[in-house]
Amino acid sequence: MSRFCAAIFGCDGLRLSAAEKTFFREVQPFGFILFARNIDTADQIRALCDELRDCVDHHAPILIDQEGGRVQRIRAPLASEWLPPLEEVQKAGSNAARAMYLRYRIIAHELMALGIDADCAPMVDVARPDTHPFLRNRCYGEDPQQIIEIGRAVADGLWDGGVYPVIKHMPGHGLAVVDSHKDLPRVSVPKAQLEGDFAPFKALNDLPMGMTAHIVFEDMDDAPATTSPKMMQFMRDEIGFDGLIMTDDIDMQALSGTVDQRAMAAISAGCDAVLHCNGTLAERQAVAAAIGEMSEAGQRRAEAVLAARRASVPVDIEALAEELKAF
């Protein structure tokens, strides 16, 4: 298998332009990610997924953020509408893990029907009372042990539906009191007091893909985790994560420099792939030129992701939906 470009790229619209097709064929990105701008009808989504995969020489993972609630790229009537995760967990009470399994098993069914086979979940950041609103109601709670149980249920629901789970935001974003889409969060809490934040990622370190947090842990390094060799080593050695690590969206304003500079910093730090969600084709071309092909280790992890793909386990989706309604 030839080396992949160390990137997961977005695209501009409902179908690929000739220029986008040429670019993707030339650089062979590992995967793709879809957003609301790429969503219209079921047939259109399936056609776009086919076009994307036709550009590369492997069955590329196609990612989406389908958490439910505020972060849900596909909406009714194409997909079920969901409460924010934290509200779902609170509503289900002691049945939260089962409820979240059912929810993400249904989400997986809906995504696979459209050609999408990776969901950027579970999000196992540990919430705090002052966690920034952009993140807080997307969390599963404030207790790390409960988050571990629910995070595993979310991952299992996706896996059982044939969809890759992507754990985020490594090694923990819950202490952020600013929005990393706009500013760089900094955490001054000593490392010794962060074990609860790291615990869900350690417990779920067997998942195939993970996404970094654009956040500074000042007691460990002064660079954001995404571009910090120290933090990347921490994720590998202490979190114990040997899956493919992608950046959070490289366009987010928590990072400094041009997009291609950010991408290069992330790859140099030890990320396997850059997630480039928005921006122009020219920016995607600049990112690809800057980062080039995956490292040998990155390629190994990417090939392991492809080899880990699972078939959907047949199930009565309507029965699962009825069970979920009872919680």
Side-chain angles (χ1 to χ4, degrees), residues 138-303:
R138 299 163 57 195
C139 298
Y140 306 153
E142 297 185 5
D143 173 44
Q145 289 307 310
Q146 182 191 29
I147 292 166
I148 289 167
E149 182 184 8
I150 294 171
R152 179 62 70 184
V154 168
D156 287 347
L158 293 171
W159 266 137
D160 286 353
V163 169
Y164 289 111
V166 180
I167 191 171
K168 63 186 184 186
H169 302 87
M170 298 174 64
H173 211 309
L175 282 162
V177 295
V178 300
D179 182 351
S180 52
H181 293 86
K182 301 173 182 176
D183 299 290
L184 176 60
R186 304 185 72 91
V187 173
S188 58
V189 177
K191 180 184 175 185
Q193 296 176 26
L194 294 169
E195 283 306 308
D197 290 80
F198 301 148
F201 297 95
K202 289 182 180 180
L204 299 170
N205 66 9
D206 58 314
L207 295 187
M209 293 184 276
M211 182 186 295
T212 63
H214 299 330
I215 188 169
V216 172
F217 293 92
E218 293 178 342
D219 194 37
M220 301 170 72
D221 195 12
D222 200 44
T226 301
T227 56
S228 164
K230 287 182 184 176
M231 293 304 298
M232 293 302 304
Q233 200 66 43
F234 172 79
M235 290 180 223
R236 295 298 188 194
D237 294 346
E238 295 192 46
I239 299 292
F241 192 85
D242 191 41
L244 182 138
I245 295 182
M246 68 188 75
T247 70
D248 202 346
D249 183 6
I250 208 72
D251 289 306
M252 290 162 62
Q253 297 311 302
L255 303 180
S256 59
T258 62
V259 174
D260 52 315
Q261 289 170 340
R262 299 172 188 182
M264 194 63 247
I267 295 297
S268 297
C271 288
D272 297 312
V274 166
L275 183 63
H276 184 270
C277 297
N278 301 299
T280 63
L281 176 58
E283 286 177 327
R284 292 196 284 275
Q285 290 167 331
V287 166
I291 61 177
E293 294 179 338
M294 283 185 166
S295 67
E296 189 172 330
Q299 182 78 14
R300 171 182 63 78
R301 295 184 186 109
E303 291 180 9

